[in-house]
Amino acid sequence: SCTYAAIMTDADNNWGNNTESSVQSEASDAHFGVATTWDFYKNVFGRSGIKGDGKGSLSRTHYGSGYVNAFWQDSCFCMTYGDGSGNTHPLTALDVAAHEMTHGVTAATAGLNYSGESGGLNEATSDIFAAAVEFYENLPADPGDYLVGEKIDINGDGTPLRYMDKPSKDGDSADSWSPSLGNLDVHYSSGPANHFFYLLSEGSGAKTVNGVSYNSPTYDGQSVTGIGIQNAAAIWYRALTTYMTSTTDYAGARTATLSAAADLFGAYSPTYLAVADSWAAINVGNRIALGVNLAPVADQISGIGQAVSLQLDAYTTNTGSSLTYEATGLPDGLSISPSG
């Protein structure tokens, strides 16, 4: 549970002066973050409160001295914000508030374990909806972007904490999935999912969005066409709340988002195919071509007189269609056993 200081009060209802010298300014920012995130989840997804129970969340500001962090606690469904280095860079920016509150949404829905690949997806979910909240609110002083923590100057040089278009720009995050991804800190194994979301929202290549320049690469070297952040966020939210579980890994997240896309936009629709394209672009699964698809088959080496067996898996995207298998020109002793 959290131990709170006295509830902040004000005699004239004029809260802060937008400077760090006023302890009320950061409290006002934190409250604005709570209200905006609440409105986003309510107005966009019909979710009333973090737990979906209509109850609000408490925030604790000015935690410690020179505390360079903010964190969410499931035990009290509450947030804590430090004032940053030298107590001059409070971590009460809108995307930080939305990020932390989204940890509560994740805890109340999929419950993604905070370790391994599930932990990376947990962190990415918070970054994803932090970006979505920024685009939703569209503040003149803080328009939507795909940078994480760009207003808190946590690095001391004006750079953001994380980059969604190319996560490796932070020096630690991964751009694409690999078998060792789950061994990374969850803030860095979140990189591929953040990258997936950016690609799904905006597409690959160089572009400028709200004055910020991006240049997102793809693992497979093929381009991706974005579907817009509102559609991408809707797919991730349905995947999180309907299909993901505590142990969902990256492969499972692909399956979950494809199921969500099928629900919202139709199976094998252009939006559904864009989801598959975006996962393939971070090395999770294959792109889906309309028609008949043959799963990749690894090379097989055998010696003379040795028995061989090779399985080919194919599927069709044409609803209601079935496949038949036949082979011609097979060597002596080799036959095909088709099944559909």
Side-chain angles (χ1 to χ4, degrees):
S1 61
C2 299
T3 302
Y4 284 95
I7 296 176
M8 201 170 287
T9 60
D10 186 87
D12 60 5
N13 206 32
N14 185 16
W15 297 84
N17 57 15
N18 291 322
T19 69
E20 282 77 24
S21 62
S22 168
V23 296
Q24 293 181 337
S25 294
E26 285 70 53
S28 297
D29 286 344
H31 185 71
F32 175 78
V34 169
T36 302
T37 304
W38 174 290
D39 288 347
F40 167 80
Y41 278 111
K42 176 66 173 178
N43 295 337
V44 176
F45 301 125
R47 185 179 190 83
S48 183
I50 296 303
K51 280 188 177 181
D53 59 2
K55 296 181 180 179
S57 302
L58 295 175
S59 298
R60 172 173 55 177
T61 56
H62 306 293
Y63 177 77
S65 179
Y67 185 70
V68 189
N69 204 354
F71 57 89
W72 171 267
Q73 289 175 272
D74 288 336
S75 58
C76 58
F77 266 66
C78 57
M79 294 170 293
T80 295
Y81 301 90
D83 285 334
S85 179
N87 294 315
T88 59
H89 295 83
L91 279 80
T92 51
L94 178 58
D95 64 347
V96 176
H99 174 107
E100 300 304 340
M101 292 181 75
T102 297
H103 278 308
V105 173
T106 299
T109 56
L112 288 162
N113 293 333
Y114 205 64
S115 62
E117 291 190 18
S118 297
L121 292 169
N122 187 317
E123 271 297 315
T125 296
S126 283
D127 285 348
I128 284 167
F129 288 117
V133 168
E134 277 193 347
F135 276 91
Y136 166 83
E137 189 63 17
N138 195 30
L139 293 172
D142 189 11
D145 56 53
Y146 297 93
L147 308 173
V148 181
E150 74 281 357
K151 293 293 186 182
I152 58 177
D153 195 22
I154 201 167
N155 295 322
D157 57 5
T159 59
L161 183 59
R162 289 186 287 278
Y163 304 80
M164 300 182 79
D165 66 316
K166 189 177 181 182
S168 61
K169 288 172 66 176
D170 68 12
D172 294 297
S173 294
D175 288 334
S176 303
W177 181 87
S178 72
S180 61
L181 184 68
N183 296 328
L184 296 179
D185 179 276
V186 294
H187 295 88
Y188 306 140
S189 61
S190 63
N194 280 345
H195 191 190
F196 159 84
F197 185 78
Y198 173 85
L199 288 168
L200 184 60
S201 298
E202 301 293 342
S204 57
K207 61 194 63 190
T208 301
V209 181
N210 286 344
V212 179
S213 296
Y214 304 98
N215 194 355
S216 193
T218 61
Y219 179 87
D220 61 1
Q222 299 184 54
S223 64
V224 172
T225 300
I227 64 172
I229 189 170
Q230 291 83 9
N231 290 335
I235 289 170
W236 195 272
Y237 181 79
R238 180 160 181 80
L240 177 76
T241 57
T242 305
Y243 295 108
M244 291 188 189
T245 67
S246 61
T247 58
T248 295
D249 57 10
Y250 268 77
R254 178 184 185 272
T255 300
T257 51
L258 284 172
S259 295
D263 294 342
L264 297 172
F265 301 99
Y268 305 110
S269 64
T271 300
Y272 180 98
L273 298 177
V275 172
D277 288 350
S278 298
W279 282 117
I282 65 156
N283 195 31
V284 178
N286 302 302
R287 295 183 181 233
I288 298 174
L290 292 177
V292 177
N293 292 261
L294 185 67
V297 179
D299 292 339
Q300 184 178 111
I301 300 174
S302 62
I304 297 174
Q306 290 180 325
V308 297
S309 177
L310 187 63
Q311 180 173 322
L312 300 176
D313 293 312
Y315 62 93
T316 178
T317 59
N318 298 319
T319 303
S321 300
S322 60
L323 296 176
T324 59
Y325 295 79
E326 62 180 25
T328 59
L330 293 175
D332 292 340
L334 192 62
S335 62
I336 183 171
S337 299
S339 62

